[in-house]
Each structure stands twice: as structure tokens, then as C-alpha cells.
Amino acid sequence: ALSRNTSLALKSFSTDSTIDTTTTTMNTYDKLLSDQTFNIEFNGYLTNHVKHAIIALQKIDAPPSMLQKYWDLYTDTTPYGLSIENVPEAWDKVIPSTEEEWKETRGMKVKWQNYCIFLKNQLEERFDNNVSALVAHYAPDVIPGMVGALTHGIIHAGWALDAFSSSPGGEKKETSVVGPWMVIEGLAYLNFSFVSVHPEGFKHGAIKEDSVMDSLLRIGTQFHEEHLAESWIARAKATYDKESGFHTELIPAGFQWEVSKVLAHQHPVAYNLPTWLDTKPIDVVLKDLYKAATVIYLTTLDEKDGHGNFVVLHLLSSLWGLEHVLTTIENDDVSRSSLKAFYVAMICLLSSSAAGFPHHAALQSTIQTHFESNDDDDMYDKEIDKVEKNEWMKTVERAYDEIEEHNIKLVYVTRELWRRYNHLKAFRLAGEAFTLTPNIGPKDPEFDA
């Protein structure tokens, strides 16, 4: 089971959004993550990533001045050349949503501020300031919609819980070092951006397979031999036009709209689930999905300069977020069903992209080249601390210089996975493969993968 002690005592928090530079990391960290100045999205559909970067920087031991500097840079102008936006309404004027509105307006991309105040009130009045209880009550129904906003809802919620439940060194704490506001934001964003993976269409245990690698290789063959880019993806995308009324709230987002169409056409290649998702222990399923996301990331590196695929990188950061939500909920049934939803989302996201699902041969090459050795067994002659101090510190120092926050998150997650899973070299290599900021700017704001 995925579990940890997350019944944490809360720090008090206020609606004061003033940020000032302090001399200690945790004061800066708390103030930045508790800030309420900015909206969750800007330019109609782009996610405000600034708090994700602050968490990642803190987790890789950046000094407080670096956290503040990054905040100042991003909140002035994002890497896209666009500016994030202030919340449209003063918080003390926001009317909380009702329980009925929380459900009835799910996925309509409305009422994010109203959801936040609703959840804040629920936390204080119904759940006695127990964040774990709040998450356990509201997250399970919205996790199946985590593919919405290109998975940034589950990223925001899960990374907030990562920050909320651990200290700078990563050890679990009985009392949180930060307030709960970002957790509230993330749950509200999951509801706001909900796009279902349609778990009602899952065919459980439909394909007998023993491992995630078997599944990836099968799909890599099937996608291309059966020409699914045309018979499934292109057909799904052509089914709905801008006048169809289908997910009209996603039309400005381009790729997100296309993914929602693909999800609505539940192809057996994604919806016939392999048996290992049911037979393996939950922690092993989680490990296998991390390995799958890393295989795909390394397989899809740019052939010219080796940079990582921007969309595929989100598989790693969103699975990290999902893990932290599930370890807060502590329910095996929710964990297994959610990891199945992630598996389906992973296949559909990849298949919807311009390159489609990677070929069998490319995946096989990555598996054989990078997944059959650990750093412990390689040139370092089991002196793993040298890898930490030399190889990883070079990558961490590169992350310190980054304005592209996806790369900072990549370094944090892959280093943690490398430490957790026997120093598998593939995680280190993935962490070194920074992505490029997509060309989303004022003249061409629509993102397409």
C-alpha cells in the first residue's frame, strides 16, 4: 500500500499575500507557497507553474535568495514571454461554491476561486483543519480527470502535498512547515480542469502481461502496425469541430482539446488493461509506471541535441504528484484505480501527440541500453557517493540556472527516483536531459504537441 503519516497539524494561515525576502529558507518557502496574488491560469489556458518551481528548488537545496529570485522573475514574465495574471476577484469578496456547484460545474473551467474558498471553509469547519481528511474526501472523485490542463491539476495538488508533508531534507514531519493553501489550490484546480479518462470504459485484466515493459512494447507494435494514428487518433480528432459543442472550454488550448477527443474514443489499445495492473503490489505498480515514463522520456529525446520531450516530461512530474495524493488518501482501492487511470492517460497523451506512440524497436533499444544497469554496478565501482557529489551536483547546478521550471522539477524527481530505486542509471540520464520551452508566445499562443 501507499501510505505515510499525513494527519498533520496545520500552521495557521491568513489571506495576506504580501511576499518579502527573509533570511531563512522555510520562511521564504511558506510565504511563497501561501501567496494568493495570482490566478491558477493565464492566457486562457496556460498553468501558472511558479509554485512548482519553488518546491523543486527548495527540494534541491537552493538558498532562499534563489527561491525569491525565481519567484520575481517568473511573476514578471514567464519563459513563454507571457505574464501571469492576478486573481480576478479580491479573496474577501469571493462567494464560496456549494457542494452541488462543486460537482455540477466540474470540468467547466469556471469558479476556481469559489472552489478554493469552499475547500478552505470545509477544511476549517468540517475537517477540523485536517488536510489529509480533506484530500481523502475530495480527491478520489477528481483524480480520474487528472489529464485535464495537461496534468497540471494533479501536479499542483500533489506537489503541494509533497511540500506540506516533509521538511527540506525530505523526512516526514508531524507538523507542517508550510500552510495548506497550495493544497486547496490544487484540489480546486483538479475540479476546475477535470477531463475524464472514462474509467467506466476500462476492461480490467483484459490482456495477460507480466510487466509494464511488455505492455509498452506491445503498444509500440500495435500502434504502428494497425495504423492507429489514422484509424484512431485522426478519426477521433476529426469527429468534433469548433461548432460541435464538445469541450468548448478547451478549444483555445489546442492539444488539450485534441486529447479530450481521443479520450472520448476509447480504443482497446488503451482501455484493455494488462493483468499486471491488478496482480502486482501497488508499490510495484507505481515503480513500474515510473520506469515506463522514464523509458518513454529517454526514447523520445531529440535526435539532434538530446533535449527531452516537453509533453512526456509531464508524465514524470504528474506521477510524482499523483503518488503524493495517494499516500495522503491511504486507500488501496483508490490507489490501484488511480494508477490504472494514469496508465490510460499516459497511452492517450502519447498517442495524441504529433509523433504518436514510440515504435517497438526504439523502446526496446532504450530498455536494453539504459534499464539493465545501475550506477552501483558501473564505472563508479560501488562508490555511489561519488555519483551524488559529481554527476548529480553538476545537474543540480544546471537546474539552479534554469528559468524553465519543468527542468528544475525534472532534476528533483529523477534524483529522488534514482535514490529510491537502487540507483538505476536511467533515472540519472533522464534528469540530465533538459527540455526546451515550447514556442508559446504572444504571437502564437496555442500549444500543440
Side-chain angles (χ1 to χ4, degrees):
L2 301 177
S3 64
R4 67 170 180 233
N5 181 8
T6 51
S7 298
L8 302 167
L10 299 185
K11 294 182 59 181
S12 61
F13 71 103
S14 70
T15 56
D16 180 12
S17 62
T18 303
I19 301 299
D20 58 8
T21 303
T22 61
T23 57
T24 68
T25 299
M26 297 323 299
N27 285 345
T28 302
Y29 194 47
D30 182 20
K31 292 208 175 211
L32 295 177
L33 298 188
S34 299
D35 180 68
Q36 299 173 34
T37 304
F38 301 106
N39 206 353
I40 197 67
E41 290 190 340
F42 61 100
N43 202 56
Y45 71 96
L46 295 172
T47 302
N48 177 359
H49 293 68
V50 66
K51 292 185 181 181
H52 314 162
I54 298 305
I55 293 169
L57 283 168
Q58 189 271 335
K59 294 290 186 178
I60 59 174
D61 302 317
S65 60
M66 189 175 292
L67 272 60
Q68 185 68 54
K69 179 180 178 181
Y70 189 94
W71 178 278
D72 293 341
L73 287 170
Y74 190 100
T75 56
D76 179 68
T77 306
T78 69
Y80 306 130
L82 300 162
S83 296
I84 60 175
E85 300 164 6
N86 287 4
V87 290
E89 189 172 1
W91 286 107
D92 59 1
K93 304 294 184 184
V94 175
I95 299 172
S97 295
T98 63
E99 191 87 38
E100 293 73 22
E101 288 173 328
W102 169 264
K103 297 174 182 178
E104 291 171 0
T105 60
R106 179 170 295 157
M108 294 183 181
K109 298 197 70 175
V110 296
K111 297 183 176 293
W112 176 71
Q113 284 190 268
N114 309 85
Y115 295 157
C116 286
I117 298 302
F118 165 71
L119 291 171
K120 177 179 179 291
N121 292 346
Q122 293 290 296
L123 175 64
E124 295 172 345
E125 299 166 8
R126 181 178 180 181
F127 296 106
D128 194 27
N129 284 328
N130 187 319
V131 167
S132 298
L134 180 79
V135 173
H137 184 82
Y138 285 104
D141 287 346
V142 293
I143 288 173
M146 62 184 159
V147 75
L150 198 60
T151 73
H152 285 106
I154 198 69
I155 291 171
H156 202 90
W159 284 62
L161 286 165
D162 185 9
F164 181 73
S165 62
S166 62
S167 73
E171 59 269 19
K172 304 305 174 223
K173 304 291 286 186
E174 295 299 322
T175 302
S176 179
V177 294
V178 299
W181 180 252
M182 187 179 169
V183 178
I184 289 169
E185 288 182 335
L187 286 175
Y189 196 29
L190 272 168
N191 204 53
F192 174 91
S193 62
F194 184 97
V195 175
S196 182
V197 296
H198 302 291
E200 69 279 3
F202 294 176
K203 302 295 188 290
H204 303 278
I207 299 176
K208 183 173 175 52
E209 284 173 335
D210 295 329
S211 75
V212 68
M213 299 305 183
D214 291 342
S215 299
L216 291 181
L217 293 173
R218 168 181 54 83
I219 297 168
T221 297
Q222 187 176 354
F223 187 86
H224 296 281
E225 287 189 352
E226 298 182 9
H227 306 289
L228 297 186
E230 295 78 29
S231 63
W232 173 30
I233 304 303
R235 185 173 298 176
K237 291 179 179 180
T239 301
Y240 308 100
D241 60 21
K242 294 182 178 180
E243 281 68 52
S244 66
F246 180 81
H247 276 295
T248 54
E249 76 284 354
L250 296 178
I251 291 174
F255 180 62
Q256 294 179 32
W257 189 43
E258 305 296 352
V259 171
S260 70
K261 298 177 190 179
V262 170
L263 289 166
H265 288 250
Q266 300 163 28
H267 196 282
V269 76
Y271 283 77
N272 286 351
L273 303 185
T275 50
W276 59 267
L277 283 166
D278 284 304
T279 59
K280 287 192 173 184
I282 292 169
D283 61 335
V284 177
V285 173
L286 178 69
K287 176 182 178 179
D288 284 353
L289 289 172
Y290 276 126
K291 291 173 71 174
T294 306
V295 166
I296 294 164
Y297 190 69
L298 291 172
T299 301
T300 57
L301 296 181
D302 186 83
E303 293 180 357
K304 294 181 180 180
D305 61 17
H307 69 257
N309 183 291
F310 183 78
V311 172
V312 177
L313 190 153
H314 288 78
L315 298 177
L316 285 163
S317 52
S318 62
L319 185 55
W320 187 259
L322 177 61
E323 177 187 346
H324 284 82
V325 173
L326 297 180
T327 53
T328 300
I329 296 172
E330 295 189 284
N331 181 296
D332 284 358
D333 291 338
V334 172
S335 292
R336 195 173 293 278
S337 64
S338 299
L339 293 173
K340 289 179 178 180
F342 180 88
Y343 169 85
V344 172
M346 175 175 67
I347 296 169
C348 292
L349 277 169
L350 282 169
S351 299
S352 302
S353 66
F357 203 90
H359 285 265
H360 177 288
L363 292 164
Q364 183 72 63
S365 177
T366 301
I367 293 167
Q368 292 176 344
T369 303
H370 300 308
F371 281 81
E372 295 181 358
S373 67
N374 296 343
D375 277 326
D376 310 59
D377 307 320
D378 203 15
M379 65 183 75
Y380 302 97
D381 192 27
K382 297 185 183 300
E383 295 183 35
I384 207 65
D385 59 324
K386 289 185 179 179
V387 187
E388 280 269 13
K389 294 176 181 177
N390 297 329
E391 305 301 325
W392 273 115
M393 278 312 302
K394 292 176 186 175
T395 306
V396 167
E397 287 169 0
R398 286 175 61 205
Y400 287 164
D401 292 332
E402 276 288 305
I403 187 62
E404 177 47 74
E405 63 84 35
H406 292 88
N407 292 326
I408 308 170
K409 292 205 298 255
L410 176 70
V411 172
Y412 165 50
V413 171
T414 53
R415 187 172 68 167
E416 291 304 305
L417 296 177
W418 178 83
R419 289 170 170 172
R420 181 194 297 178
Y421 296 128
N422 301 317
H423 308 116
L424 186 64
K425 187 194 297 186
F427 293 125
R428 178 170 60 81
L429 296 177
E432 294 172 355
F434 284 15
T435 192
L436 301 179
T437 302
N439 187 22
I440 307 171
K443 294 182 180 180
D444 185 21
E446 186 173 291
F447 172 68
D448 196 6

